[in-house]
């Protein structure tokens, strides 16, 4: 198989790829200014032209990259002040890096030398698509977090915030959250409900996963489908069904009813994570424990549980996040006495448009990130225990 040599690219190639990237960024800038097509054209011409000119100036790469960053920062400052200058600086630095990354073929350094140009194109196209999806998902979170420090009672960036004026930023919304009785009551309700729902989810979900992992269990696929159905069925349907059922048995509007409802929503996450952990479980260990005289309970807690513990904890964390962030079901099965934090946020949006919601949302995002980080650490630990990862 012929190997593709790594050599400097022609100005035409660099200009073509740079123009495509410029059109992509120009689309967003132009759309924000009211003309997406014009932004695409300007971005393609500007970045493509820079790519064509700079492709033959590789020996001055460092100086040119500094000049580009400074030029875009100056242009941004002239157009819209300090915030645009910062964005221009970052964009200019990226453009300089991108052009020379293309012209010197550094994009092929870490790839297999036998890849064809089409395979290289798909390699980076796939990563660009994933990056765009990631940005699309993460942008709303990144917008909410700085807005939570707004000194004014607005849901938009004020001129002082855009100018990075310290007077435009404040912790008043966080102060309101920690001092307001309604918010504190809602927070304590969530703290009381979510852990209990998590305990029930972990208990029932782990037992169900272990039972359904046995090959001799009849109709286990159908049972599994029923148990994970709360993840598939629209939440509003599940909430309505729980409301009518709980109303008949006297659990609607009670603390125990909300806990059971949230546990039902969390059980599928526990089943899925524990089942995935059990895929690599060596069942000869349980048979060996039985041959040594250990009972089923001892075998479970001393042999099986330590090995599947990462999956159990991961499922528990997902169940906790589900319960802590859930609002639809609690609106149906809860009462004013079980008003949780997401319920209070919903009220704040519907009735008074309180900016404190932004502070609460930021706190919830930080908590979720911490929990998901723990989940990822446990996943890696589980892989090491099962010998799937060398590190």
């Amino acid at each position: 198989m012929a190997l593709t040599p790594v050599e400097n690219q022609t100005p035409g190639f660099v200009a073509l790829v740079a123009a495509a990237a410029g059109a992509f960024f120009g689309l967003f800038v132009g759309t924000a200014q009211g003309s997406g097509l014009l932004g695409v054209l300007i971005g393609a011409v500007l970045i493509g032209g820079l790519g064509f000119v700079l492709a033959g100036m590789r020996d001055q790469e460092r100086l040119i990259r500094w000049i580009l960053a400074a030029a875009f920062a100056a242009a941004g400052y002239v157009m819209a002040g300090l915030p645009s200058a910062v964005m221009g600086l970052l964009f200019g630095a990226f453009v300089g890096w991108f052009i020379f990354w293309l012209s010197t073929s550094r994009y092929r350094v870490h790839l297999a030398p036998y890849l064809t140009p089409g395979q290289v194109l798909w390699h980076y196209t796939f990563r660009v698509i994933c990056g765009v999806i990631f940005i699309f998902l993460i942008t709303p979170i990144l917008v909410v977090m700085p807005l939570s420090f707004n000194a004014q009672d607005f849901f938009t960036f004020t001129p002082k915030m855009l100018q990075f004026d310290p007077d435009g930023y404040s912790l008043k919304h966080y102060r309101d959250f920690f001092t307001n009785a309604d918010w504190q009551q809602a927070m304590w309700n969530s703290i009381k409900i979510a852990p209990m729902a998590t305990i029930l989810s972990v208990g029932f979900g782990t037992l169900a996963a272990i039972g359904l992992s046995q090959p001799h269990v009849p109709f286990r696929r159908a049972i599994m489908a029923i148990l994970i159905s709360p993840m598939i069925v629209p939440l509003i349907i599940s909430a309505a069904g729980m409301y009518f059922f709980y109303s008949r048995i006297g659990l609607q509007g009670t603390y125990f009813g909300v806990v059971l409802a949230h546990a039902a929503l969390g059980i599928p996450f526990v089943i899925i994570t524990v089942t995935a952990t059990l895929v690599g479980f060596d069942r000869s260990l349980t048979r060996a424990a039985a041959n040594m005289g250990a009972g089923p309970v001892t075998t479970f807690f001393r042999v099986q549980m330590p090995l599947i513990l990462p999956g159990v904890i991961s499922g528990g964390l997902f169940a906790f996040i589900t319960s802590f962030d859930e609002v639809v079901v609690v609106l149906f099965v809860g009462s004013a006495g079980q008003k949780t934090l997401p319920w209070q946020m919903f009220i704040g949006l519907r009735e008074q448009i309180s900016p404190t919601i932004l502070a609460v949302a930021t706190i919830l995002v930080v908590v979720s990130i911490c929990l998901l980080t723990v989940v990822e650490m446990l996943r890696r630990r589980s892989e090491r225990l099962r010998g799937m990862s060398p590190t």
Side-chain angles (χ1 to χ4, degrees):
M1 180 179 294
L3 301 181
T4 303
V6 178
E7 56 187 13
N8 294 333
Q9 296 295 336
T10 63
F13 172 82
V14 177
L16 180 63
V17 180
F24 176 75
F25 287 106
L27 175 63
F28 292 97
V29 177
T31 302
Q33 300 298 324
S35 178
L37 179 60
L38 183 61
V40 169
L41 294 176
I42 294 176
V45 172
L46 176 61
I47 307 303
L50 287 173
F52 185 84
V53 173
L54 300 179
M57 305 171 66
R58 303 179 187 91
D59 54 337
Q60 303 178 15
E61 176 181 350
R62 184 179 296 274
L63 175 62
I64 292 173
R65 288 174 62 175
W66 279 107
I67 293 175
L68 279 178
F72 275 93
Y77 183 80
V78 171
M79 294 174 60
L82 183 59
S84 293
V86 175
M87 296 299 297
L89 177 66
L90 296 175
F91 183 70
F94 169 77
V95 169
W97 168 83
F98 184 68
I99 288 175
F100 288 105
W101 180 71
L102 289 173
S103 65
T104 58
S105 294
R106 287 199 290 263
Y107 62 89
R108 292 200 66 116
V109 171
H110 301 291
L111 299 180
Y114 53 80
L115 294 182
T116 64
Q119 291 172 323
V120 174
L121 176 63
W122 170 244
H123 174 84
Y124 286 106
T125 300
F126 176 74
R127 279 153 179 76
V128 169
I129 293 173
C130 293
V132 171
I133 295 173
F134 175 77
I135 293 173
F136 179 79
L137 294 175
I138 205 71
T139 298
I141 298 176
L142 298 179
V143 171
V144 165
M145 296 179 75
L147 280 176
S148 66
F149 297 98
N150 194 344
Q152 304 297 324
D153 294 334
F154 302 131
F155 278 77
T156 58
F157 289 97
T158 61
K160 288 187 176 181
M161 292 186 70
L162 295 177
Q163 296 170 4
F164 296 107
D165 188 340
D167 293 335
Y169 296 86
S170 173
L171 296 174
K172 59 181 292 187
H173 304 309
Y174 291 90
R175 191 180 307 113
D176 179 56
F177 169 68
F178 287 108
T179 57
N180 186 285
D182 291 335
W183 284 107
Q184 288 300 295
Q185 181 62 39
M187 182 183 70
W188 286 114
N189 282 337
S190 292
I191 291 176
K192 288 188 295 184
I193 291 172
M196 291 303 300
T198 301
I199 292 173
L200 292 178
S201 298
V202 169
F204 292 128
T206 302
L207 294 176
I210 294 174
L212 293 173
S213 66
Q214 304 297 323
H216 63 271
V217 176
F219 309 109
R220 57 178 183 147
R221 293 186 181 277
I223 297 173
M224 174 70 79
I226 294 173
L227 291 177
I228 67 173
S229 61
M231 295 181 63
I232 304 170
V233 176
L235 202 54
I236 188 69
I237 296 177
S238 298
M242 290 178 182
Y243 170 76
F244 289 114
F245 177 68
Y246 285 6
S247 298
R248 291 182 176 275
I249 62 176
L251 289 178
Q252 197 280 328
T254 65
Y255 168 79
F256 187 60
V258 176
V259 169
L260 285 180
H262 282 186
L265 298 178
I267 285 175
F269 294 97
V270 180
I271 291 177
I272 290 175
T273 55
V274 175
T275 301
T277 307
L278 287 169
V279 169
F281 180 75
D282 186 1
R283 301 192 180 280
S284 63
L285 298 175
T286 57
R287 292 194 293 268
N291 289 335
M292 297 297 292
V297 176
T298 303
T299 301
F300 173 74
F301 284 106
R302 300 292 296 273
V303 177
Q304 194 169 23
M305 190 63 177
L307 295 176
I308 67 172
L309 186 60
V312 174
I313 297 177
S314 298
L317 291 176
F318 279 117
F320 180 84
I321 294 173
T322 301
S323 174
F324 203 82
D325 293 343
E326 202 282 322
V327 64
V328 178
V329 170
V330 75
L331 283 172
F332 277 80
V333 303
S335 63
Q338 293 87 43
K339 188 183 297 180
T340 59
L341 206 53
W343 188 350
Q344 182 66 30
M345 294 174 68
F346 178 75
I347 293 175
L349 284 172
R350 186 183 62 181
E351 297 179 359
Q352 53 185 339
I353 313 297
S354 171
T356 307
I357 297 170
L358 301 175
V360 180
T362 301
I363 294 173
L364 292 179
V365 167
V366 172
V367 171
S368 298
I369 291 175
C370 293
L371 293 177
L372 291 176
T373 302
V374 174
V375 169
E376 177 63 17
M377 295 171 63
L378 291 171
R379 184 190 67 81
R380 296 187 179 186
R381 179 180 181 272
S382 178
E383 290 183 351
R384 288 197 299 269
L385 289 175
R386 289 184 290 164
M388 297 175 60
S389 176
T391 57

